[in-house]
Amino acid sequence: MKPRDRQARILEIVSRDGEAAVEDLARSFEVSHETIRRDLQELASTGALHKVRGAARRLKLHTEGSFRDRLYEHSAEKAEIARKLAGIVEDGDTIFIDTGTTTLACAEALAAREGLTVITNSVRIAQRLGEQPGRARVFLLGGAFGADSAETVGPLVIEQVGRFQADHAVITVAALDPDGGAMDADFDEAQVARAMIGQAKTAVVLCNSQKFGRRAAFRVCRLDEIDVLVSDARPEGRLATALSSAGVTVQ
């Protein structure tokens, strides 16, 4: 059995049973304990499961409510993140900005900048920035429309992202973890965020402190792919150590 197939099967077993011992998995797949440990390490590095001594456990993954439900949550934290982001983005910059209640809260602060070029998949952000005459040139990426978040997603959006180069990719995430990195609760949104990061000089991740230590289902990027983390509070403990080791600037 190929490692990829074995790992997929291991993930199924852990998801079904909640936990699986290295010894039991090695016996089931007729491979060495070391092979299973490598499989578990690789799966854990992607945020798919939690590796503990001698076993693997199912992760409790963070999910998000509707955009409307989240819109007015943590307003003070979002305002602080917006203030800090406005000090990073400079007049004349070209930026990607993805869909999220935090990035929407930042749009007002960004509107004060002169001569921005903004590429976004958020209809709300495009409207907010486009309402300021002469302040920003806005490109709205086209694709499958998601009504709840008023966003576009899917292959068409990914293809169009590849036509741009930007100074910054401004990305909001659902979770930030020392092992899993930056994660999102929505597959399509995670893919758009990844594409934006790939076309930008600097990856700027927006994450309020309530999301520290959480895990979500879909990885956006590893910690060492983040250039700047913008939050309302500084991370502590293992997350702070991991961010420092990855060379992430924390604002």
Side-chain angles (χ1 to χ4, degrees), residues 100-239:
T101 59
T102 301
T103 45
L104 180 59
C106 290
E108 198 70 41
L110 292 177
R113 287 293 178 204
E114 295 281 355
L116 289 183
T117 298
V118 178
I119 308 109
T120 184
N121 66 323
S122 167
V123 174
R124 291 185 177 97
I125 289 173
Q127 289 177 325
R128 185 72 57 89
L129 291 171
E131 288 169 353
Q132 309 295 324
R135 292 282 186 175
R137 188 181 188 195
V138 180
F139 292 86
L140 179 61
L141 301 167
F145 182 67
D148 176 58
S149 297
E151 66 179 337
T152 55
V153 293
L156 288 175
V157 174
I158 303 298
E159 188 274 329
Q160 289 169 62
V161 167
R163 301 181 188 182
F164 296 89
Q165 294 288 328
D167 296 296
H168 308 292
V170 179
I171 304 298
T172 185
V173 297
L176 189 71
D177 176 83
D179 301 315
M183 292 159 280
D184 205 294
D186 183 275
F187 173 81
D188 288 320
E189 290 181 1
Q191 300 310 302
V192 172
R194 287 175 61 126
M196 288 179 172
I197 289 172
Q199 296 297 116
K201 294 178 183 176
T202 304
V204 181
V205 170
L206 314 182
C207 180
N208 74 60
S209 55
Q210 301 296 317
K211 300 174 181 179
F212 292 168
R214 285 181 180 172
R215 289 200 176 212
F218 307 103
R219 174 182 276 177
V220 172
C221 64
R222 303 185 311 271
L223 293 186
D224 62 7
E225 295 175 290
I226 301 171
D227 294 292
V228 182
L229 171 67
V230 184
S231 184
D232 58 290
R234 296 190 71 84
E236 298 178 348
R238 199 160 73 89
L239 178 57

Side-chain angles (χ1 to χ4, degrees), residues 71-80 105:
L71 192 57
Y72 300 105
E73 293 177 348
H74 308 297
S75 297
E77 290 88 344
K78 292 172 184 175
E80 178 63 8

Side-chain angles (χ1 to χ4, degrees), residues 33-56:
H33 288 193
E34 188 57 37
T35 295
I36 293 297
R37 290 191 188 98
R38 285 197 298 268
D39 287 338
L40 297 185
Q41 183 61 46
E42 187 167 340
L43 288 167
S45 71
T46 67
L49 50 73
H50 182 50
K51 185 176 179 291
V52 297
R53 186 176 179 84

